[in-house]
Amino acid sequence: TFPTICAELLGRGPIGRRFQLEVFQPARAAASERLSEAATREELDPSVDPSLVFDLVYGGLLYRVLMGQPVDAETADALANLILSGAALR
């Protein structure tokens, strides 16, 4: 299933467009909102692009999956903490 979805996404096919509209864009918008709220609370540097943070988190998780590495809650938390520590206000 995953290779088919990737091919659709890369080829801009109808399934890929639908997947982007119904899966990726809502997840990205929700994450961006949460990250913007964290910046408002001064937990994150307001100059950090929330979309880039999202890409780093999900890119890291996807890479681990593609390399056959486990992605459990502990790994996801460690990745998010590592990335967000770079985005935090100092």
Side-chain angles (χ1 to χ4, degrees), residues 3-81:
T4 301
I5 291 171
C6 288
E8 282 289 321
L9 288 167
L10 293 171
R12 305 281 189 233
I15 294 171
R17 285 192 302 273
R18 186 169 178 190
F19 198 79
Q20 280 192 329
L21 285 172
E22 295 179 15
V23 177
F24 285 135
Q25 289 179 3
R28 187 178 204 85
S32 181
E33 184 176 329
R34 287 191 304 275
L35 291 165
S36 294
E37 289 169 359
T40 300
R41 292 188 305 269
E42 298 184 349
E43 295 172 349
L44 294 179
D45 184 335
S47 69
V48 172
D49 179 359
S51 292
L52 186 56
V53 174
F54 179 87
D55 291 344
L56 289 169
V57 171
Y58 283 91
L61 293 173
L62 178 59
Y63 181 80
R64 285 187 67 88
V65 168
L66 292 174
M67 294 296 109
Q69 299 296 313
V71 178
D72 53 19
E74 184 178 323
T75 301
D77 286 344
L79 178 62
N81 289 332

